[in-house]
Amino acid sequence: MKRQWKSLILAFNWVLLSLGASVLVVLTQSPQITLATDRAVIIKTPKEKKPTESTDNKKPEISTEEATEETTDNKKPESEKAESEKPTPEEIARQKKLIQGDKLYQAGKIAEAEKVYREAKDSFTNTSEFKPPKTAINNPAELPPAAKVYWREGQAGILSNLRTKTLVPLKFLVEKYPEFIPGNIKYAQSLKKYGQEEKALQVLERATSLYPNQPELVKARVDALSEEKKWMQASLAARQFAMLNPENPQAPEFTQLADEKLKKYTSYIRRETRGNAIANIITGVVGYATTGSLLGPFSALDSTMLLMKGEKGVGRSVAKQAKKRMELIEDKEVNAYINEIGQKLAKIAGRDEFEYEFFVIPENSLNAFALPGGKIFIHTGAIAKTKSEAEIAGLIGHELAHVVLSHGFQLVTSGNLVANVTQYIPYAGGTVGRILTFDYSRDMERQADRLGTRLLTAGGYAADGLRNLTLTMKKQQKNAPPAWLSTHPGGAERVSYLEELITTNGYNRYAYEGVAKHQQIKDKVKQIMKEREEKKEQDEDDKKDKKQEEQKKPREDKK
């Protein structure tokens, strides 16, 4: 009984200490939000090699890596693996064509390059039913007779303030004539008026995906997202328009709008972080009172200090820990190649307040992951198993999209409290945490695919780089779980979705591939990994020999 009272008194003292520390941290945090004008281009590599650890089990919880495990191919003998990786004559001929197209593209002979790319690439197999969108219509006078009837009846319903007479004709109008921009805007406004906010956002999302160059439509979506306090999506929608339409006279206005929404989002996140920080301390104290372990309170206080640093600070702190636990590739040419691609796409993405850093880690799986604040880690397997610069750029673009959309930081701020609570529930921690973020994470992946493909296109790469990468991953996922079980969309489902995205938006898949340069880096990475494996085997043999010598020595001494 005395021990319980002692624990409660200690817990109460810890509450006072923790709350005091939390208040001190809050007061010392500057509420000022600034957007950096200059971005540091940094490639950091360790001066001393760290012991290699398994990154599969030790990656941060906020990792956004693809759920691709080592396949049965990795268990094959080296001779069989080399034979299976050997390109077919058809693949070799295709690569030569793409290299020819790249040379023409770089020489400014775009039309000739496109012709060669078309000869080298197969048509999408899953998009026969998809057709390019019709030309946008903004003037009701240009509508066909049937569409004019729907528009007139919808307008009459709005004037009469009648729900059914408003929504039904506008619904038919948007479904049958999505090219009519005012119809989409008016239908979304009417849905919101009658309490269907999510459906209104879906209407505007579909319309802007079909017609991303229509400023009034994009503005309507930005406003609708802002009204729902989805500041980051609103900022991104505005920035995408400015980014993809730099010649449009309204582009500067959309850039300013994007910055305004971003500031509102960062202010919102700061408020949420402070609330979660206090909650984390309380759950840590509860853990101490129920288990008698100080691990909970100290972990909670550590989480509090981390969260109060903000998005960039979280990324910097977690990346620092990640780099201590993972070996990094130090080759300057490989790092420069990845950094050049990454910085090019990061500049397009528009969130200049981050310091973007790109690291290469010696892992054979086709994978990558992103941390908040612009820290991105690429596996050597991703370089070795992709076929062009466009494909690796697709992977980097996808991870950059997670950063730009603050997906990792959203998971930290929303999931940190869950993690602190569930660590005291036996057998439940990891499972509960994943279930609570399951649906949201799948939505994040779709968002990252969409933005990643747009970044790829805006960067001058072939728009199907991410799609081709996904196709490669699909072939490797022999033992992958069903699509519904993973936080990432499944292989076949994802390939089909990306093909539809490219087709419906008219993205150019007959642009720069970058085959020759990528092959050069790819060969170098394979050589680095081969030498690393040989050294690892040699070290293991040396250890065995040393152990045998040590075992042999006592026997000789006895003699």
Side-chain angles (χ1 to χ4, degrees):
M1 190 72 180
K2 291 181 178 179
R3 186 176 180 179
Q4 290 180 347
W5 276 106
K6 186 177 181 180
S7 295
L8 289 173
I9 292 170
L10 288 172
F12 180 72
N13 290 334
W14 179 260
V15 170
L16 294 178
L17 176 63
S18 301
L19 286 177
S22 178
V23 170
L24 180 62
V25 171
V26 171
L27 292 175
T28 56
Q29 293 297 310
S30 172
Q32 187 68 28
I33 306 297
T34 59
L35 298 179
T37 55
D38 297 314
R39 174 166 61 253
V41 180
I42 307 171
I43 291 283
K44 292 185 179 178
T45 53
K47 295 180 180 179
E48 297 181 4
K49 291 187 177 180
K50 305 286 192 301
T52 305
E53 297 183 13
S54 173
T55 56
D56 288 333
N57 296 326
K58 293 193 175 185
K59 280 178 184 170
E61 284 294 320
I62 51 177
S63 167
T64 55
E65 57 182 330
E66 289 295 337
T68 55
E69 300 295 333
E70 295 283 347
T71 65
T72 53
D73 287 344
N74 293 326
K75 298 179 183 179
K76 294 180 181 179
E78 288 298 322
S79 58
E80 290 185 30
K81 287 169 69 176
E83 186 67 26
S84 65
E85 291 176 0
K86 189 176 180 180
T88 63
E90 292 78 11
E91 288 174 336
I92 293 173
R94 179 178 178 275
Q95 292 294 87
K96 288 181 177 179
K97 274 280 186 185
L98 291 174
I99 291 173
Q100 180 187 351
D102 288 339
K103 289 179 179 178
L104 291 168
Y105 191 91
Q106 289 179 314
K109 300 177 181 179
I110 307 301
E112 293 178 44
E114 183 174 324
K115 183 179 179 182
V116 175
Y117 287 137
R118 287 182 181 275
E119 292 173 358
K121 292 187 174 186
D122 295 328
S123 301
F124 288 158
T125 57
N126 301 319
T127 55
S128 57
E129 69 274 23
F130 302 128
K131 298 179 180 179
K134 296 179 180 178
T135 304
I137 297 175
N138 284 285
N139 187 354
E142 297 176 10
L143 288 171
K148 287 180 179 178
V149 172
Y150 289 135
W151 179 241
R152 186 167 58 248
E153 290 182 357
Q155 294 285 73
I158 292 171
L159 291 173
S160 303
N161 204 28
L162 297 173
R163 174 177 175 146
T164 303
K165 288 190 175 182
T166 298
L167 297 182
V168 172
L170 290 178
K171 179 176 181 291
F172 283 128
L173 176 64
V174 167
E175 288 178 351
K176 295 183 179 181
Y177 305 95
E179 66 271 21
F180 184 47
I181 305 304
N184 287 286
I185 296 173
K186 191 62 69 176
Y187 183 39
Q189 290 173 345
S190 299
L191 285 169
K192 184 179 184 305
K193 177 182 177 181
Y194 292 109
Q196 299 184 47
E197 289 83 1
E198 282 302 316
K199 191 172 180 180
L201 288 175
Q202 290 172 11
V203 169
L204 292 172
E205 165 67 16
R206 177 175 178 270
T208 51
S209 68
L210 290 172
Y211 300 98
N213 302 328
Q214 294 294 313
E216 294 303 320
L217 186 59
V218 175
K219 181 63 164 57
R221 182 167 179 250
V222 170
D223 291 343
L225 288 167
S226 299
E227 289 171 3
E228 294 302 311
K229 296 184 179 180
K230 297 185 178 183
W231 309 115
M232 178 51 67
Q233 290 97 316
S235 175
L236 181 62
R239 198 175 304 282
Q240 282 177 353
F241 179 85
M243 181 175 71
L244 298 175
N245 303 277
E247 303 301 324
N248 190 292
Q250 296 186 49
E253 177 187 337
F254 276 90
T255 298
Q256 183 180 352
L257 190 62
D259 290 342
E260 290 174 2
K261 303 304 180 186
L262 179 59
K263 287 181 179 180
K264 287 189 176 183
Y265 172 75
T266 50
S267 296
Y268 164 76
I269 284 294
R270 184 173 291 275
R271 291 194 300 272
E272 288 292 301
T273 298
R274 287 171 177 167
N276 273 3
I278 301 299
N280 283 340
I281 292 173
I282 294 172
T283 56
V285 172
V286 170
Y288 173 72
T290 56
T291 66
S293 171
L294 285 172
L295 177 63
F298 279 113
S299 297
L301 185 58
D302 183 61
S303 297
T304 300
M305 302 293 287
L306 181 64
L307 287 173
M308 295 309 296
K309 292 180 179 179
E311 186 168 4
K312 189 162 64 173
V314 167
R316 188 183 296 115
S317 297
V318 179
K320 184 178 179 181
Q321 293 300 317
K323 286 184 286 183
K324 286 181 180 178
R325 291 160 55 179
M326 295 183 297
E327 184 180 352
L328 300 178
I329 295 296
E330 298 178 341
D331 187 87
K332 290 182 179 179
E333 187 179 8
V334 173
N335 283 332
Y337 176 67
I338 294 299
N339 185 67
E340 183 180 355
I341 297 170
Q343 297 296 346
K344 178 181 180 179
L345 297 179
K347 185 176 181 180
I348 297 169
R351 290 197 67 178
D352 296 338
E353 72 270 30
F354 296 149
E355 282 186 0
Y356 293 94
E357 296 182 79
F358 301 87
F359 307 95
V360 181
I361 57 177
E363 289 292 328
N364 288 322
S365 57
L366 200 170
N367 219 334
F369 63 94
L371 299 178
K375 315 304 178 185
I376 295 175
F377 295 76
I378 309 294
H379 289 200
T380 49
I383 301 173
K385 295 175 184 178
T386 45
K387 299 175 182 176
S388 69
E389 185 176 327
E391 285 191 23
I392 197 69
L395 178 63
I396 294 173
H398 176 90
E399 297 303 330
L400 268 173
H402 282 307
V403 172
V404 170
L405 290 166
S406 296
H407 285 163
F409 195 58
Q410 287 179 55
L411 286 178
V412 170
T413 53
S414 65
N416 190 269
L417 175 59
V418 173
N420 269 305
V421 172
T422 56
Q423 67 178 314
Y424 303 111
I425 305 175
Y427 313 113
T431 304
V432 172
R434 285 186 65 80
I435 288 175
L436 291 178
T437 58
F438 179 76
D439 291 332
Y440 191 42
S441 295
R442 284 182 61 83
D443 185 47
M444 285 178 178
E445 289 304 320
R446 281 294 180 94
Q447 292 175 23
D449 280 345
R450 286 196 295 268
L451 179 57
T453 299
R454 289 178 182 179
L455 290 176
L456 198 61
T457 305
Y461 291 106
D464 57 0
L466 181 57
R467 175 263 183 191
N468 294 336
L469 172 73
T470 306
L471 194 61
T472 300
M473 292 173 63
K474 175 190 170 186
K475 293 176 181 177
Q476 293 187 9
Q477 285 180 318
K478 295 179 181 179
N479 300 319
W484 53 267
L485 195 59
S486 172
T487 57
H488 293 73
E493 172 196 349
R494 198 173 182 191
V495 170
S496 179
Y497 166 74
L498 287 169
E499 289 180 354
E500 179 182 354
L501 178 70
I502 293 166
T503 303
T504 54
N505 287 283
Y507 293 150
N508 182 19
R509 60 184 293 244
Y510 304 109
Y512 185 66
E513 287 283 347
V515 173
K517 175 66 174 177
H518 185 75
Q519 187 62 48
Q520 178 185 339
I521 299 298
K522 181 175 176 176
D523 292 340
K524 189 160 193 177
V525 164
K526 286 184 176 180
Q527 183 62 31
I528 290 171
M529 294 303 289
K530 181 181 177 183
E531 291 174 359
R532 182 174 175 273
E533 287 300 318
E534 289 174 352
K535 186 178 184 303
K536 185 178 179 182
E537 290 175 4
Q538 184 62 49
D539 290 343
E540 289 176 355
D541 290 341
D542 291 343
K543 285 181 180 179
K544 288 180 182 178
D545 292 341
K546 186 177 180 180
K547 187 175 182 181
Q548 288 175 355
E549 287 294 326
E550 290 174 350
Q551 291 174 344
K552 186 179 177 181
K553 190 175 180 180
R555 289 197 296 267
E556 291 177 348
D557 292 342
K558 286 180 180 180
K559 291 179 181 179

